Amino acid sequence: MVALLRSWAVTLKLAEDEARRWSRAGWLHDALRDAPEAEMRRWAPHVDGPVELRHGPAAAARAELEGERNADVLSAARWHSVGWEGWGWTGRALYCADFLEPGRSFDRPARAALATAFPDDPDGVLRDVVACRLTYAEAQGWSLPPESVAFRRAICG
Ligand SMILES: [Fe+2]
């Protein structure tokens, strides 16, 4: 995840502070990704639902306690599984990287193509990622969190 964010930041020639925010958001995300459910629950006791929805708020809570103060980095980690319409590009990039990282086993060729296209067309790739993620969730019969619905409206129209 961090490697993908870094490669995008380099290709996009991001300003150093923005590139660092992208990397920090990726590290925070990865730090708790494989944590046991009990640890996630400890960091995010007020979040209901499946563990995938808990790991973002858990990562943000832990980061805050460890001294992370940047609002873009914290909101990126907190909402990365759901989407949030208040994001700038740190959150949007983390949302895309979470879906496009090569470690996931489904739909590899299509996701790799989107990951490659990201630096040339971040807006277009973000739209595709939002559509893919939410279409899949709806096909599974999952009810979408209101933040996801608002994010889709903001990004896809
Ligand atoms: Fe994640």
Side-chain angles (χ1 to χ4, degrees), residues 8-137:
W8 288 346
V10 168
T11 312
L12 284 162
K13 298 186 172 56
L14 288 188
E16 183 128 356
D17 54 345
E18 177 72 351
R20 258 193 251 118
R21 283 194 287 275
W22 287 27
S23 291
R24 288 217 304 282
W27 279 318
L28 290 176
H29 169 270
D30 289 354
L32 270 185
R33 177 168 46 185
D34 301 320
E37 181 155 4
E39 188 178 350
M40 302 255 200
R41 200 176 286 279
R42 191 160 60 81
W43 285 106
H46 306 300
V47 179
D48 296 322
V51 65
E52 302 81 60
L53 294 184
R54 202 172 285 126
H55 104 103
R62 186 171 120 174
E64 224 171 339
L65 200 81
E66 288 175 352
E68 178 62 58
R69 290 288 171 265
N70 185 274
D72 287 348
V73 172
L74 291 171
S75 68
R78 177 169 294 121
W79 297 109
H80 82 273
S81 308
V82 173
W84 185 50
E85 61 179 324
W87 273 336
W89 272 102
T90 305
R92 292 170 181 208
L94 187 67
Y95 180 88
C96 290
D98 187 49
F99 183 73
L100 299 178
E101 66 167 334
R104 292 183 184 267
S105 58
F106 63 93
D107 249 354
R108 278 207 164 110
R111 289 184 313 99
L114 285 173
T116 303
F118 183 88
D120 287 329
D121 183 15
D123 288 309
V125 169
L126 175 63
R127 268 195 304 276
D128 284 353
V129 169
V130 171
C132 275
R133 287 178 77 146
L134 300 195
T135 302
Y136 177 78

